Amino acid sequence: MSLFLAAVFLAFVLCVLSIFLANVVKKRVADTANGGMYPKGYWFGMGIAFGLLLGMPLGISIGIALGNVAIGIAIGPALGMGFGTMIGYVLEKKHVKNIRPLTEKESRLQRVFIVFTISVLILGVTVLFSLVYLYGLI
């Protein structure tokens, strides 16, 4: 029961975050309409972030429906990444006039961020599946 409540709470938090992100994206779109310039890949990243925020609650819901939350946690980001990639591609094409090349500083920061993100994801997945495995032993 406590796992179910944790999943529902996580889904609620992610839904609130996705609403917040939608407002941020809406504001950024309005800024772009006023002539703002964004670095290459900006809209693609925003689409992926939005897709992940929508995919996680969907995945947890699927996991609860299937009776195995671990499967839902695994499926959610995959669905979110696919959906977010489509959103990002459309946004990138829509705002092609307001895209500028990356500066050297932004390029270096992007490489560091990618390495950090991959490291955190690997650590998070390892810890998550370890906890799910240990919970299954109880």
Side-chain angles (χ1 to χ4, degrees):
M1 183 65 175
S2 64
L3 184 61
F4 175 75
L5 290 176
V8 169
F9 176 73
L10 181 63
F12 174 75
V13 168
L14 289 174
C15 287
V16 170
L17 285 174
S18 64
I19 291 169
F20 174 73
L21 181 63
N23 288 332
V24 170
V25 170
K26 188 176 180 181
K27 182 182 176 208
R28 299 288 175 131
V29 169
D31 290 344
T32 302
N34 296 332
M37 296 294 283
Y38 294 97
K40 180 181 177 185
Y42 174 81
W43 291 106
F44 195 70
M46 290 297 283
I48 290 176
F50 186 69
L52 281 175
L53 284 176
L54 291 177
M56 285 301 294
L58 178 64
I60 291 173
S61 302
I62 290 171
I64 291 172
L66 293 176
N68 191 348
V69 178
I71 290 175
I73 292 173
I75 291 173
L79 291 174
M81 287 289 284
F83 185 64
T85 301
M86 290 186 299
I87 292 173
Y89 179 77
V90 169
L91 286 174
E92 197 80 18
K93 291 297 180 188
K94 181 179 178 183
H95 299 288
V96 73
K97 295 177 184 174
N98 298 344
I99 296 176
R100 61 172 171 75
L102 291 174
T103 63
E104 182 60 37
K105 183 179 178 182
E106 289 172 338
S107 179
R108 184 172 35 89
L109 185 63
Q110 187 179 36
R111 286 191 301 266
V112 168
F113 184 68
I114 288 171
V115 169
F116 175 76
T117 303
I118 290 172
S119 302
V120 168
L121 283 175
I122 290 172
L123 179 65
V125 168
T126 303
V127 168
L128 179 67
F129 281 112
S130 298
L131 290 174
V132 169
Y133 176 73
L134 292 175
Y135 183 76
L137 290 178
I138 295 177

